[in-house]
């Protein structure tokens, strides 16, 4: 088994949402597990001194169009959220707790539910009750999750996870590492595939 | 014949260079002509209040890596220029004059030579002699081009071409319009293909 693929995302990123629907299949194509890492882009953008994408003049308008188009081209259900972007610290902490307590598969199931709630079902995932509904839909005890996501060690884990991500060069989402090769964006999936194919053939990438 | 594809680029953009090697083939796949529009990104970035890509912290370092990797993955010769980015106003004006005087095919031949000089042959295309050498390699009279690119109407044409581009929503390079649908980036070629295929089938994009 080759080393796992690392997948960094913010629950508020449309391209990360698209990536979340495809990343495990991509990993499976090449016999790679995928490790999911929820992060927050706010602190990352602050460190870089850049504005959130949709706040950039001209480019922001294009981005809004491209979000929906990208989803449509890949047959991914998409309804641009009324409030966008929103705080995802609760969802990220909940995922980390679920991962620690119930394992990666359950955490992933929860993550899919959160992404779907925000980008397909028109729900505001900055609201704790929406995060807990996602947990419930993944078969988890909402009470337990509500308590878990407040734990100090979970808060610390998210903080240190974001620090580790930026130290590794993460500056956006989705951000993917394959054997330390960095790929930014859902539009890099074909590159990842090409890169893995060449690597498999022993060619230089 | 369907309406032409519009291809906007700055000669100093690595992704535009990559796009320049593929755009005509893409157009041909769908029976579309491609109109090449040299622009300058400097004024565009100023209008948006953003920094050139490689000056953005963290992201800039990734970009440098991604330029070379993108070229390698698509088997495009690439050597990152020692001076980067450089002023491309001379090359852009020369191309507009060649287009006006000798037609689009000759202008394109010149454009390929300029891109190659900068991104494959290690030549500084901000220097007039390099621009003229590219003209010569396209079978043009260098003297004539040197005079042509200084003409006031050519200078005005570049200025108004950039204004028209930004008015249309261009904020980076390569920037491509297919039937007024905007696509930004070499990494959107697959989207263009998917979009044209769906359009061909009459499906909503």
């Amino acid at each position: 088994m080759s080393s796992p693929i690392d997948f960094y995302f913010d629950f508020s990123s449309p391209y990360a949402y698209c990536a979340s629907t495809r990343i495990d299949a991509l990993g499976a194509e090449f016999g790679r597990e995928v490790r999911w890492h929820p992060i927050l882009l706010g602190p990352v953008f602050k460190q870089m001194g850049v504005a959130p994408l949709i706040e950039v003049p001209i480019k922001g308008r294009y981005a809004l169009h491209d979000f929906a188009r990208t989803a449509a081209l890949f047959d991914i259900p998409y309804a641009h959220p009324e409030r966008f972007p929103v705080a995802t610290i609760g969802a990220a902490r909940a995922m980390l707790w679920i991962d620690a307590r119930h394992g990666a598969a359950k955490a992933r199931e929860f993550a899919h539910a959160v992404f779907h709630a925000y980008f397909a079902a028109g729900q505001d995932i900055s609201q704790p009750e929406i995060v807990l509904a996602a947990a419930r839909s993944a078969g988890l005890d909402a009470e337990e999750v509500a308590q878990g996501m407040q734990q100090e060690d979970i808060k610390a884990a998210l903080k240190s996870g974001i620090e580790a991500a930026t130290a590794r060069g993460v500056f956006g989402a989705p951000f993917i590492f394959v054997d330390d090769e960095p790929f930014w964006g859902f539009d890099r999936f074909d590159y990842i595939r090409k890169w893995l194919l060449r690597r498999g053939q022993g060619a230089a990438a």
Side-chain angles (χ1 to χ4, degrees), chain A:
Chain A
M1 189 78 174
S2 304
S3 63
I5 290 171
D6 283 313
F7 168 45
Y8 294 86
F9 59 92
D10 184 311
F11 279 113
S12 197
S13 160
Y15 297 125
Y17 161 58
C18 289
S20 76
T21 69
R22 296 290 191 277
I23 188 77
D24 287 320
L26 180 68
E29 260 183 61
F30 296 92
R32 303 261 187 157
E33 279 196 74
V34 180
R35 286 191 298 220
W36 290 42
H37 305 278
I39 59 165
L40 308 180
L41 284 181
V44 175
F45 286 168
K46 195 172 278 180
Q47 193 184 329
M48 291 164 69
V50 303
L53 183 52
I54 61 156
E55 289 175 20
V56 179
I58 314 172
K59 193 172 175 175
R61 208 175 45 214
Y62 171 85
L64 284 177
H65 178 67
D66 195 57
F67 294 158
R69 176 178 63 186
T70 298
L73 287 175
F74 289 87
D75 297 313
I76 299 165
Y78 189 86
H80 191 69
E82 216 165 296
R83 284 189 61 209
F84 178 84
V86 292
T88 55
I89 190 167
R93 284 175 178 167
M95 183 173 179
L96 290 181
W97 179 82
I98 296 165
D99 186 82
R101 179 68 176 265
H102 297 280
K106 193 49 87 178
R108 193 166 318 191
E109 202 180 330
F110 165 76
H112 282 301
V114 173
F115 271 129
H116 188 270
Y118 190 48
F119 289 111
Q123 296 174 332
D124 181 351
I125 57 167
S126 70
Q127 303 304 310
E129 62 271 23
I130 300 298
V131 171
L132 297 179
R136 220 173 283 119
S137 79
L140 293 154
D141 182 305
E143 277 295 304
E144 219 188 49
V145 174
Q147 284 173 10
M149 63 194 269
Q150 309 256 23
Q151 288 175 11
E152 289 307 319
D153 59 330
I154 290 298
K155 293 181 181 178
L158 179 58
K159 196 157 175 281
S160 67
I162 295 168
E163 283 164 4
T166 53
R168 207 176 173 185
V170 172
F171 59 81
F175 211 100
I176 292 148
F177 287 94
V178 185
D179 302 338
D180 282 332
E181 181 76 6
F183 297 91
W184 170 47
F186 181 52
D187 47 28
R188 284 296 177 276
F189 269 48
D190 281 340
Y191 284 41
I192 297 174
R193 193 168 282 116
K194 276 173 180 277
W195 193 84
L196 280 164
L197 284 170
R198 293 210 175 181
R199 195 170 184 83
Q201 293 160 359

